[in-house]
């Protein structure tokens, strides 16, 4: 019987050496290949004119004297004549050094950058870009085919040059394609080369206008159209802007300065594009929630919040401002606060530098403005199309607000010796949202507690601001308001004395529990300007 021969092969030292050598060589070649694919060149003999920064995925650069595209890292230098482009699903932006000029490139976009003395220019080859000149002192010219667009300072302009096919990598500019110039803010001048040494008369396009250039038509035949609405933001988007310290600025006064009645306005603006998606629209009917938090350097009875449309003339995007914080407790000095409000837009918001979240407060005398530390603004688009149905408030609904310790500062309503102490809040702080109070609704209101000083009188007020008007719904005739009829006490209430008063108020016009329904409670304690401090204050509302 034959035995099976053992044919197992054993590696000798030479075989081991060859295996290890070629393995290391393969790893080295792979490393060199990787470095080559992800390397970029620095021109030591030339100063950069711009820098490119990433938003996501891939951007590439090609020198004017080279045919090789390099994959860039964040914060890469760009030189005179360089082409830069973005890949599919990629975004980047480039800034001309020391100019304030910024160019954003969306996916599949390509430009070529030039600098000549004080002149900055780009060749727009394809895709979609946004240009911001801010307060740039240098001229910026966008060239596309035979057309040149000079962008003035403090402008935001969108350029679109769609490809006819999916070959976005082409260096050749197709002059037969139509270029769209949309001015979001500021202005531009457009000229066209009509012959070898001649150009057309400049055409000026201002904010809110759009020009679509047709290669088959002369520039003079083009029509300037209203700017087309941008795409809506994504539903559910939520973004945050934070500042370690931000100061509110005095920005005029309100009320009736001719008669010596002042309320000085202090405000800070947050660009809405910083907390949503730039150049996207928040459409009319969208449900928006704004949340604020921070630590104030002084007491403020209320902050108001309003979102502007971004139009050339400042316009609020909703009927009235929302009051923050809720429950009328105000903002307290050196005490952290956090509050949010939800409201429905009745106008479109285009998120450019002109559209802002305005946060402010009124003060009855000129004073040092407050400084907010650890300030956070959060905006969330809850829905793009409000489908909320407002239901009639049920009878028997009861809500009680309780305050263990509530400080109310004075509010000057006439001259400096005419003031009262108001408690402000939205109806959403009292009743469930999306409830309607039809005309004829009766509310039993009860107030109880004690204060540190005597009180001469007090009265509540219910106000509807849904139409942008101040409508006290508890008066039969809105043009003849007898506030004395609302008072809850006729006798003086001594200090540190427990009190309890009730009254029934009828709504002569409808009001709903949205951010535009408002409740106010006024107290008067004579010529004692120190804050009014309550202990165990209770406000009870019952629908009769």
């Amino acid at each position: 019987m034959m035995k099976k021969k053992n044919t197992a092969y054993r590696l000798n030292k030479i075989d081991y050496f060859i295996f290890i050598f070629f393995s290391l060589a393969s790893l080295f070649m792979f490393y060199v290949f990787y470095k080559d694919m992800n390397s970029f060149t620095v021109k030591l003999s030339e100063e950069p004119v711009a820098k490119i920064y990433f938003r996501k995925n891939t951007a590439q650069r090609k020198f004017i004297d080279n045919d090789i595209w390099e994959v860039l890292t964040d914060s890469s230098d760009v030189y005179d004549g360089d082409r830069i482009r973005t890949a599919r699903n990629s975004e980047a932006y480039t800034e001309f050094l020391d100019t304030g000029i910024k160019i954003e490139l969306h996916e599949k976009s390509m430009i070529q950058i030039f600098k000549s003395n004080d002149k900055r220019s780009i060749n727009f080859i394809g895709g979609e870009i946004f240009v911001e000149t801010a307060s740039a002192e240098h001229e910026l010219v966008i060239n596309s085919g035979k057309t040149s667009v000079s962008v003035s300072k403090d402008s935001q302009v969108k350029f679109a040059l769609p490809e006819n096919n999916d070959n976005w990598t082409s260096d050749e500019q197709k002059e037969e394609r139509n270029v769209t110039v949309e001015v979001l803010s500021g202005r531009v001048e457009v000229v066209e080369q009509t012959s070898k040494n001649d150009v057309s008369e400049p055409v000026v396009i201002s904010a809110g206008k759009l020009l679509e250039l047709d290669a088959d038509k002369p520039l003079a035949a083009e029509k300037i159209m209203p700017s087309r609405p941008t795409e809506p933001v994504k539903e559910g988007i939520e973004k945050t802007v934070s500042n370690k310290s931000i100061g509110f600025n005095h920005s005029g006064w309100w009320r009736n300065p001719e008669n010596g009645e002042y309320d000085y306005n202090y405000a800070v603006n947050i660009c809405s594009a910083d907390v949503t998606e730039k150049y996207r629209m928040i459409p009319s009917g969208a449900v928006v929630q704004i949340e604020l938090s921070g630590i104030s350097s002084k007491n403020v009875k209320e902050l108001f919040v309003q979102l502007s449309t971004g139009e050339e003339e400042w316009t609020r995007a909703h009927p009235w401002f929302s009051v923050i914080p809720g429950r009328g407790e105000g903002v307290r000095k050196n005490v952290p606060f956090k509050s949010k409000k939800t409201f429905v837009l009745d106008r479109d918001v285009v998120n450019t530098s002109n559209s802002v979240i305005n946060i402010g407060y009124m003060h009855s005398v000129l004073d040092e403005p407050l400084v907010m530390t650890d300030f956070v603004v959060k905006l969330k688009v809850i829905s793009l199309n409000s489908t909320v149905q407002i239901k009639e408030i049920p009878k028997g609904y009861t809500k009680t607000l309780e305050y263990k310790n509530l400080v109310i500062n004075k509010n000057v309503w006439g001259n400096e010796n005419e003031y009262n102490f108001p408690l402000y809040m939205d109806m959403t702080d009292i009743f469930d949202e999306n409830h309607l109070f039809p005309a004829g609704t009766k509310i039993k209101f009860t107030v109880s507690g004690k204060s540190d000083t005597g009180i001469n009188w007090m009265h509540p007020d219910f106000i509807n601001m849904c139409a942008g008007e101040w409508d006290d719904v508890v008066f039969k005739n809105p043009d003849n308001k007898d506030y004395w009829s609302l008072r809850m006490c006729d006798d003086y209430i001594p200090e540190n004395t427990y009190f309890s008063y009730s009254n029934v108020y009828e709504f002569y016009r409808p009001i709903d529990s949205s951010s535009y329904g408002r409740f106010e409670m006024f107290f008067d304690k004579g010529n004692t300007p120190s804050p009014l401090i309550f202990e165990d204050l209770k406000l009870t509302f019952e629908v009769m």
Side-chain angles (χ1 to χ4, degrees):
M1 182 177 179
M2 296 182 63
K3 292 184 178 180
K4 185 176 181 180
K5 186 176 180 180
N6 187 355
T7 59
Y9 182 76
R10 298 179 181 274
L11 293 174
N12 56 36
K13 291 182 178 181
I14 295 176
D15 295 329
Y16 274 118
F17 174 79
I18 293 172
F19 174 77
I20 293 172
F21 174 80
F22 280 103
S23 296
L24 291 175
S26 298
L27 290 173
F28 176 75
M29 294 300 291
F30 177 79
Y31 172 76
V32 171
F33 173 75
Y34 175 82
K35 292 290 288 182
D36 182 65
M37 289 294 293
N38 293 276
S39 65
F40 59 93
T41 306
V42 176
K43 290 185 176 182
L44 299 177
S45 60
E46 189 176 335
E47 290 292 326
V49 299
K51 275 189 176 292
I52 187 170
Y53 303 90
F54 284 89
R55 290 202 186 280
K56 62 179 181 179
N57 295 339
T58 305
Q60 295 176 303
R61 177 192 63 193
K62 185 170 75 169
F63 292 142
I64 193 171
D65 55 358
N66 199 323
D67 290 330
I68 299 175
W69 285 97
E70 298 178 329
V71 177
L72 298 176
T73 61
D74 192 17
S75 187
S76 297
D77 289 332
V78 179
Y79 300 90
D80 186 34
D82 284 1
R83 281 184 171 90
I84 55 178
R85 70 184 184 186
T86 51
R88 186 190 300 276
N89 297 322
S90 300
E91 292 182 3
Y93 69 93
T94 184
E95 290 183 313
F96 279 100
L97 300 179
D98 303 321
T99 65
I101 297 173
K102 180 178 176 181
I103 304 159
E104 298 187 8
L105 291 85
H106 276 201
E107 66 170 350
K108 299 167 57 178
S109 299
M110 187 188 305
I111 62 174
Q112 187 174 17
I113 289 181
F114 295 97
K115 173 189 174 184
S116 176
N117 297 323
D118 286 338
K119 183 177 180 180
R120 308 294 191 273
S121 64
I122 65 170
N123 283 348
F124 179 36
I125 300 170
E128 184 176 275
I129 62 173
F130 295 99
V131 175
E132 288 186 83
T133 55
S135 57
E137 297 297 332
H138 301 274
E139 181 183 11
L140 176 66
V141 177
I142 314 294
N143 297 306
S144 182
K146 297 179 180 180
T147 305
S148 294
V149 182
S150 297
V151 183
S152 65
K153 71 175 184 178
D154 294 320
S155 296
Q156 293 182 318
V157 187
K158 173 183 173 181
F159 294 83
L161 183 59
E163 292 285 347
N164 290 333
N165 53 50
D166 207 36
N167 182 23
W168 66 273
T169 60
S170 172
D171 284 358
E172 297 301 321
Q173 189 168 314
K174 298 179 176 62
E175 294 185 6
E176 69 273 10
R177 290 174 293 160
N178 294 349
V179 179
T180 299
V181 182
E182 183 177 359
V183 183
L184 303 173
S185 64
R187 64 192 290 273
V188 302
E189 287 189 1
V190 184
V191 297
E192 186 178 48
Q193 184 177 340
T194 56
S195 64
K196 188 173 183 180
N197 296 313
D198 193 18
V199 295
S200 65
E201 288 293 321
V203 174
V204 177
I205 311 176
S206 57
K209 298 296 192 301
L210 176 144
L211 179 64
E212 188 171 285
L213 299 166
D214 190 331
D216 298 327
K217 297 179 181 178
L219 182 60
E222 298 291 352
K223 292 183 179 179
I224 300 175
M225 302 166 285
S227 178
R228 292 182 301 213
T230 55
E231 295 181 4
V233 299
K234 297 175 183 175
E235 188 168 282
I237 188 169
E238 180 178 321
K239 291 192 177 182
T240 301
V241 170
S242 59
N243 290 275
K244 288 302 294 180
S245 179
I246 190 168
F248 285 61
N249 299 312
H250 174 228
S251 58
W253 57 78
W254 195 38
R255 280 218 283 177
N256 195 0
E258 292 81 6
N259 295 338
E261 297 178 355
Y262 291 93
D263 263 341
Y264 295 92
N265 181 55
Y266 296 85
V268 63
N269 290 328
I270 305 295
C271 182
S272 64
D274 293 337
V275 287
T276 55
E277 295 169 287
K278 222 167 197 179
Y279 311 111
R280 295 282 187 108
M281 177 182 64
I282 309 177
S284 172
V287 182
V288 176
Q289 183 182 85
I290 295 179
E291 180 180 298
L292 302 182
S293 62
I295 303 173
S296 175
S297 64
K298 63 191 305 179
N299 294 326
V300 177
K301 61 179 180 288
E302 64 177 349
L303 292 175
F304 56 78
V305 182
Q306 41 195 350
L307 183 60
S308 71
T309 61
E311 299 173 26
E312 200 162 353
E313 183 177 348
W314 195 95
T315 305
R316 192 187 298 114
H318 43 94
W320 203 258
F321 55 76
S322 288
V323 178
I324 286 180
R327 287 172 45 93
E329 295 171 306
V331 176
R332 298 296 164 213
K333 181 179 179 180
N334 297 329
V335 177
F337 81 94
K338 186 175 184 179
S339 186
K340 58 187 175 184
K341 287 294 177 183
T342 302
F343 48 89
V344 179
L345 303 183
D346 65 355
R347 288 181 172 89
D348 294 340
V349 173
V350 179
N351 291 325
T352 68
S353 61
N354 283 355
S355 173
V356 297
I357 301 171
N358 176 259
I359 305 157
Y361 66 94
M362 295 292 184
H363 199 55
S364 55
V365 295
L366 279 173
D367 197 5
E368 286 296 320
L370 73 80
V371 175
M372 194 77 72
T373 55
D374 296 330
F375 189 50
V376 177
V377 180
K378 182 185 295 183
L379 185 145
K380 182 176 182 180
V381 180
I382 297 175
S383 171
L384 293 180
N385 184 18
S386 172
T387 57
V388 176
Q389 293 185 350
I390 299 180
K391 300 178 181 179
E392 188 170 324
I393 191 77
K395 290 184 178 180
Y397 180 102
T398 303
K399 179 69 172 288
T400 298
L401 302 179
E402 299 186 35
Y403 305 86
K404 281 295 182 184
N405 186 278
L406 180 64
V407 179
I408 302 178
N409 293 300
K410 75 171 184 177
N411 174 65
V412 176
W413 56 269
N415 59 49
E416 62 180 15
N417 293 318
E418 295 175 314
Y419 49 81
N420 53 30
F421 296 82
L423 176 63
Y424 299 140
M425 66 185 78
D426 287 340
M427 293 281 278
T428 51
D429 297 322
I430 307 169
F431 303 98
D432 292 338
E433 288 189 10
N434 308 315
H435 274 119
L436 173 68
F437 300 80
T441 299
K442 293 183 179 180
I443 300 287
K444 181 180 180 181
F445 173 62
T446 303
V447 55
S448 62
K450 62 180 179 178
S451 67
D452 66 329
T453 56
I455 298 175
N456 293 324
W457 51 260
M458 65 180 76
H459 76 73
D461 197 4
F462 296 87
I463 303 157
N464 183 9
M465 299 182 295
C466 286
E469 301 288 340
W470 188 278
D471 182 14
D472 306 67
V473 300
V474 288
F475 294 108
K476 287 184 179 180
N477 184 353
D479 297 323
N480 185 16
K481 300 174 182 178
D482 178 17
Y483 288 104
W484 187 270
S485 65
L486 302 182
R487 294 191 175 180
M488 303 193 67
C489 61
D490 295 326
D491 300 325
Y492 177 78
I493 304 172
E495 63 185 63
N496 296 318
T497 301
Y498 180 82
F499 63 83
S500 179
Y501 294 95
S502 291
N503 206 348
V504 176
Y505 297 93
E506 181 177 352
F507 295 165
Y508 290 97
R509 285 168 303 284
I511 184 174
D512 64 63
S513 59
S514 68
S515 296
Y516 319 121
R518 185 175 171 97
F519 171 80
E520 298 187 350
M521 185 74 185
F522 294 94
F523 303 90
D524 176 82
K525 62 172 187 168
N527 294 324
T528 49
S530 60
L532 178 60
I533 302 175
F534 283 103
E535 290 184 24
D536 298 323
L537 181 68
K538 290 185 180 180
L539 309 178
T540 300
F541 304 82
E542 181 182 357
V543 181
M544 305 296 290

